Amino acid sequence: MAARKLNDATKRKEFEAEALPHMDALYRTALRLAKNQSDAEDLVQEAFAKAYRFWDKFELGSNCRAWLFKIMTNIFINEYRSKSRSPLQANIDDIDDNYLYGQLAGSEMTENPEQTLFSKLFDDDVKKAIENLPDDFRLVAVLSFLEGFSYQEIAEIADLQLGTVKSRLHRGRKLLQKQLFDYAVKNGYIKEKAK
Amino acid sequence: MNCQDALELLYDIIDKEASEIDAKEVQEHLESCRDCFKIYRIETSVQEFIASRIKGNGPSPQLDSLKDKIIVRLDRIDNEASPGQPPRSFGLVAKMLVAAACLVILIGAASIATDYYREYVYYTPLASAHHAVHDRSWNQPTFELSPSYLDLDFSNLGYEQGFVLVNSSKEQICGVEMAHFVFRNSKLTVSVFAAPSGEYSIPEDCIDTQLSLDGKTFFNHRCHDCWLLFHEVGNAVIIAASTETGFDLYPFTPTENVVLTSSSLP
């Protein structure tokens, strides 16, 4: 890992041009990870401070966005991740693959039942469902769904094996779908399939 | 392509990770299979829906003030780095308990840059690897690692505290291939990493935190909420890790007396 030699003025100028423009993206991900505005702001600030200290290690021309997300993810895992186990986690394996399909296909609805479901759900319902995911699943889900990182990029950012990224993403999806469906049933938006 | 193949590729297709050939074959299958087509349709629209909803509505008004705060942080870092200013010590833990003995460890105040560097390069990957196994339940142990990986026996570590070896695997950590053994009792998970000492050396600045016990020399480090204990035995560097900071990692340090038999790992 060869450090580039930079004087202070160049370093600052490069950093403001290359790294700072990614603040919006880092913040929206931080909000979904940390779940509240104040922690999200702290997380982004810590990430930028750390990135700035390491700026001479950053290879100019390589993927700055992924590099910044890796730094922020590291801080999140080490300092913000809650130690308590989410109550959702225990039940993941009970959810079938294609859960939503199984539910919707049997509900008394028309050609596109999913459209009926979506039209009833609000942004906040979806955000809450994401926030309810256990940290490990939420991290990969946010990096994929919100930021559009590829499996390989997520593996590098979160320091995970490719297979682990895929399985966490898969389980995260199942959990999300179940929550959204249960929520819709509870609020009477759709009827549960007869058992 | 049959239904099972098509459904296995479902999320690869949705996430645009499938190869062109796979994507084409799935497409052909969907044209002739109404059931799979429905599943794909629902899953795709759920995905689009979720992605569109979590993005929210445009930039938030807090962003300008956040940018100002970041600029202030950068200014502060620039000032710290100027010559003539003494380096600020970066919150290292200065005391720890090991076994029954209470030992005071002196930690030199290293420069900020070095602290960050070693956090990032030497310690954080180990802590992350431990975190990754920490929350898992281990109903079904899987053992991926060949027991002959290192000439040491790991299976009995922590036995007196009720720990059992629940998993082991090989992982790339800190740029080195390491064995990662996972131990669990009713409450806690402990990771033990091992690497040939020729490939991974204990970071030099760790020597600040040296202590000796029963003729063995240990190096300790606290990496955020993960506790790491380094030592060298035989031809290996052994690193024990736990997220429980009040917990004694000493039983997870194998000695030369523990000899490997090739049957000691299932």
Side-chain angles (χ1 to χ4, degrees):
Chain A
M1 192 183 294
R4 297 179 295 134
K5 285 241 187 280
L6 294 172
N7 69 38
D8 287 353
T10 318
K11 176 180 168 188
R12 181 66 179 259
K13 215 167 131 192
E14 267 185 22
F15 191 80
E16 289 192 4
E18 298 283 326
L20 274 191
H22 298 290
M23 187 186 77
D24 297 19
L26 287 172
Y27 180 67
R28 71 179 176 195
T29 286
L31 264 181
R32 299 281 86 79
L33 292 179
K35 304 184 193 177
N36 70 66
Q37 193 182 314
S38 138
D39 280 352
E41 288 200 10
D42 286 350
L43 186 52
V44 173
Q45 284 187 60
E46 288 303 320
F48 274 110
K50 198 161 184 176
Y52 190 51
R53 292 179 198 276
F54 278 109
W55 185 247
D56 56 349
K57 305 270 190 314
F58 173 71
E59 219 173 285
L60 221 51
S62 63
N63 190 343
C64 187
R65 182 164 165 266
W67 185 72
L68 291 169
F69 272 91
K70 185 177 172 70
I71 291 173
M72 187 168 83
T73 299
N74 243 309
I75 298 172
F76 171 70
I77 290 173
N78 286 313
E79 293 177 30
Y80 289 79
R81 207 174 102 120
S82 60
K83 282 183 181 172
S84 58
R85 192 183 276 198
S86 159
L88 275 170
Q89 194 151 5
N91 300 321
I92 295 172
D93 292 329
D94 301 339
I95 311 170
D96 294 337
D97 282 355
N98 315 122
Y99 173 84
L100 205 54
Y101 171 74
Q103 295 292 339
L104 291 177
S107 63
E108 305 155 11
M109 273 190 281
T110 47
E111 189 54 19
N112 287 345
E114 69 275 15
Q115 299 301 341
T116 318
L117 169 60
F118 298 157
S119 64
K120 304 279 191 184
L121 290 170
F122 295 104
D123 285 6
D124 280 352
D125 302 333
V126 177
K127 283 176 186 157
K128 205 184 281 171
I130 297 253
E131 285 176 5
N132 280 340
L133 291 179
D135 286 341
D136 290 341
F137 300 114
R138 195 167 73 252
L139 176 65
V140 292
V142 169
L143 291 174
S144 171
F145 305 163
L146 181 59
E147 299 300 336
F149 282 115
S150 70
Y151 295 167
Q152 185 58 44
E153 285 171 321
I154 297 171
E156 282 162 23
I157 289 170
D159 227 341
L160 297 168
Q161 306 269 355
L162 201 59
T164 311
V165 172
K166 284 178 79 163
S167 77
R168 285 192 187 169
L169 213 44
H170 182 66
R171 289 155 151 238
R173 277 192 164 105
K174 281 164 57 177
L175 276 174
L176 266 181
Q177 292 185 1
K178 180 160 168 37
Q179 283 191 79
L180 291 175
F181 184 80
D182 289 353
Y183 182 84
V185 169
K186 199 174 118 202
N187 287 278
Y189 301 152
I190 47 178
K191 278 185 193 161
E192 194 166 11
K193 184 179 172 183
K195 295 219 165 123
Chain B
M1 180 171 281
N2 60 29
C3 294
Q4 196 188 339
D5 295 338
L7 293 181
E8 265 170 27
L9 286 165
L10 175 68
Y11 293 122
D12 284 355
I13 300 269
I14 287 177
D15 291 331
K16 303 190 173 52
E17 297 268 349
S19 70
E20 263 180 54
I21 299 168
D22 282 344
K24 190 161 167 279
E25 284 188 22
V26 167
Q27 191 57 42
E28 282 165 12
H29 176 78
L30 295 186
E31 280 163 20
S32 61
C33 176
R34 198 173 147 69
D35 285 343
C36 284
F37 177 78
K38 261 199 203 160
I39 293 177
Y40 264 78
R41 192 198 65 211
I42 289 185
E43 291 281 347
T44 307
S45 43
V46 170
Q47 183 58 33
E48 283 168 2
F49 171 75
I50 290 172
S52 70
R53 289 300 162 100
I54 56 171
K55 283 189 178 126
N57 325 314
S60 106
Q62 288 92 42
L63 285 173
D64 279 342
S65 80
L66 177 58
K67 188 169 178 185
D68 292 342
K69 286 180 200 162
I70 291 169
I71 295 287
V72 170
R73 284 288 288 269
L74 300 187
D75 287 343
R76 220 160 59 199
I77 294 169
D78 281 341
N79 291 334
E80 282 168 6
S82 325
Q85 298 249 354
R88 193 165 53 98
S89 148
F90 178 64
L92 276 181
V93 180
K95 285 182 185 175
M96 65 164 293
L97 283 167
V98 163
C102 185
L103 297 162
V104 179
I105 298 129
L106 298 173
I107 300 171
S111 76
I112 296 158
T114 314
D115 281 344
Y116 267 105
Y117 179 78
R118 68 182 198 208
E119 284 289 327
Y120 196 57
V121 174
Y122 294 114
Y123 308 125
T124 307
L126 293 162
S128 306
H130 177 67
H131 275 298
V133 300
H134 176 245
D135 289 339
R136 274 186 61 183
S137 55
W138 298 96
N139 299 331
Q140 301 230 308
T142 51
F143 295 88
E144 298 161 9
L145 185 69
S146 153
S148 60
Y149 178 69
L150 282 166
D151 197 15
L152 290 165
D153 182 2
F154 290 89
S155 53
N156 289 322
L157 299 182
Y159 181 73
E160 285 161 19
Q161 289 77 29
F163 281 89
V164 285
L165 179 62
V166 292
N167 194 38
S168 67
S169 61
K170 257 192 225 182
E171 284 174 54
Q172 281 282 338
I173 301 170
C174 305
V176 174
E177 188 164 81
M178 290 193 183
H180 182 179
F181 299 89
V182 183
F183 295 85
R184 224 184 136 70
N185 71 6
S186 56
K187 292 191 213 113
L188 300 167
T189 306
V190 171
S191 285
V192 176
F193 302 97
S197 46
E199 287 168 40
Y200 182 89
S201 47
I202 297 172
E204 272 178 33
D205 47 21
C206 242
I207 288 166
D208 290 343
T209 66
Q210 175 175 332
L211 59 116
S212 293
L213 207 62
D214 295 346
K216 271 192 287 183
T217 303
F218 297 96
F219 306 96
N220 293 274
H221 182 68
R222 247 200 87 173
C223 178
H224 304 297
D225 60 348
C226 198
W227 185 254
L228 300 166
L229 182 68
F230 296 77
H231 78 298
E232 235 175 306
V233 54
N235 63 344
V237 172
I238 310 291
I239 306 151
S242 167
T243 41
E244 294 300 318
T245 50
F247 166 75
D248 181 15
L249 282 175
Y250 182 71
F252 293 91
T253 57
T255 64
E256 285 92 335
N257 302 334
V258 188
V259 180
L260 176 87
T261 61
S262 56
S263 60
S264 56
L265 288 179

